[in-house]
Amino acid sequence: MLSTIPRLARCLSSNLGGISNLTRAFASWPEPVIQVSAQDGNSIVLPTCGAPGDTLLIRQPERPFAATASLPNEVVTSLPGTSNRIAVVRPAFLPFDQQQQHLSEVIAPLGTSAVALAAHTQLAPQRLLVDEYTQSSSGSYVLSKAATELATYLQRRAVSVALVPDVTAAAAGQLADVPNSVAAATKLRSMQSTNRVLMVAPTAFGFNDQAAQDNSFMHQAERPQEHSSLTSQVCGEFSELHRQLTEVAGVEVQLFQHHIRHGTPDAVFPNNWFSTHAAGGCGRIKIVASRGPASSYMC
């Protein structure tokens, strides 16, 4: 029972957002640690958020092509330990004749409640899914959740996810520079990076004639207008970027939009006209001077 207290506090803090004092109150209790199986490295023990027992995250030797009603007994008996839950990781769109990656190549622990996850798993062709099986009263494992995206599944288990190019190097601390995703997942602080950003959705995006006057990299395109196919396209792309940042990387995004009446066709690039700076115990915003109102004004 006592070992469940710190994970419950962490779960409440993660899912409710306003219970951080509860986590601090139990800070002296040892947290359950995410562990890799020493037997084959193809299974990871995840402390289960707010529930007794742990979740065993595994990759089956033989690739499953779909979730099954129950986990085959030969799979259960081959595992390095027992658990209340077994989560099977499988590729979503890998061609049938290609080998699935070893679990240690795509995910590795970063401490008590964080993991490094290979960034390529967020690309559509390389997505990974999780089928969760829960132990029944008879001892068999029956399907409880099917086809949950891996990063989403981890976050629902109150596990912080850091997207990295090299999982092994991140776990060993061998990356030349600690990525912001790792710093955020492991609660490190950095003066050069942040886990909170401001973004402007391109809800009235289009070609900016003023900016094009001295920007040779710009190509003529559709201007902001009603029923714009260009605006619809970039909004769709931007929405996926927003989802990856918020749901996968755990970045806190302050999101704004703009209207055609604002006359700000490239407001999606707010870094072009203001920046924030630390100033003692307070913050300061620096407004960048620009030639035209289209790139300097938005309300």
Side-chain angles (χ1 to χ4, degrees):
M1 171 62 183
L2 293 180
S3 64
T4 306
I5 293 177
R7 74 177 67 174
L8 178 59
R10 188 175 70 253
C11 174
L12 288 172
S13 178
S14 172
N15 292 321
L16 298 182
I19 318 293
S20 57
N21 290 334
L22 181 59
T23 304
R24 289 194 294 269
F26 294 109
S28 60
W29 292 94
E31 286 193 279
V33 179
I34 299 176
Q35 301 175 351
V36 177
S37 167
Q39 179 173 331
D40 61 359
N42 228 358
S43 60
I44 294 178
V45 179
L46 300 175
T48 303
C49 178
D54 295 321
T55 298
L56 192 61
L57 192 70
I58 70 168
R59 194 217 71 171
Q60 293 188 44
E62 295 295 328
R63 173 185 173 185
F65 288 89
T68 55
S70 61
L71 203 57
N73 186 61
E74 59 268 24
V75 173
V76 177
T77 56
S78 68
L79 298 177
T82 59
S83 178
N84 291 348
R85 290 176 178 82
I86 297 176
V88 178
V89 180
R90 60 182 171 92
F93 306 111
L94 188 70
F96 76 95
D97 56 345
Q98 294 187 18
Q99 293 294 320
Q100 57 181 341
Q101 283 188 290
H102 197 279
L103 195 61
S104 62
E105 295 178 302
V106 295
I107 185 172
L110 289 177
T112 56
S113 58
V115 297
L117 182 64
H120 67 75
T121 62
Q122 301 310 297
L123 301 176
Q126 302 181 62
R127 284 178 56 202
L128 296 175
L129 304 178
V130 175
D131 301 319
E132 183 186 81
Y133 298 84
T134 305
Q135 191 172 31
S136 66
S137 57
S138 64
S140 62
Y141 288 84
V142 296
L143 183 66
S144 53
K145 296 176 184 176
T148 303
E149 192 171 24
L150 176 57
T152 301
Y153 182 84
L154 292 168
Q155 290 184 329
R156 289 175 181 173
R157 303 264 71 78
V159 175
S160 297
V161 175
L163 296 177
V164 297
D166 188 331
V167 167
T168 304
Q174 296 175 347
L175 294 176
D177 297 305
V178 177
N180 187 44
S181 60
V182 173
T186 55
K187 306 298 188 293
L188 294 177
R189 301 285 293 179
S190 172
M191 291 298 292
Q192 298 301 319
S193 60
T194 182
N195 198 40
R196 181 179 300 171
V197 299
L198 181 150
M199 299 177 71
V200 181
T203 48
F205 179 79
F207 184 77
N208 187 340
D209 290 289
Q210 292 178 338
Q213 292 175 12
D214 58 1
N215 188 340
S216 59
F217 294 99
M218 292 182 64
H219 299 281
Q220 187 72 32
E222 186 178 307
R223 290 171 174 77
Q225 58 185 304
E226 293 184 359
H227 311 299
S228 167
S229 59
L230 177 62
T231 301
S232 297
Q233 177 185 344
V234 296
C235 280
E237 296 175 358
F238 187 91
S239 66
E240 177 60 17
L241 170 63
H242 180 269
R243 188 190 73 82
Q244 293 285 344
L245 287 173
T246 56
E247 298 184 13
V248 179
V251 176
E252 182 180 339
V253 176
Q254 301 293 329
L255 184 64
F256 294 81
Q257 298 87 30
H258 61 129
H259 191 277
I260 191 172
R261 66 171 177 270
H262 294 141
T264 54
D266 48 11
V268 69
F269 307 116
N271 57 299
N272 285 345
W273 53 273
F274 86 93
S275 60
T276 59
H277 306 266
C282 62
R284 180 173 56 190
I285 295 179
K286 181 178 180 180
I287 305 296
V288 180
S290 60
R291 294 188 308 133
S295 58
S296 65
Y297 172 76
M298 187 189 75
C299 63

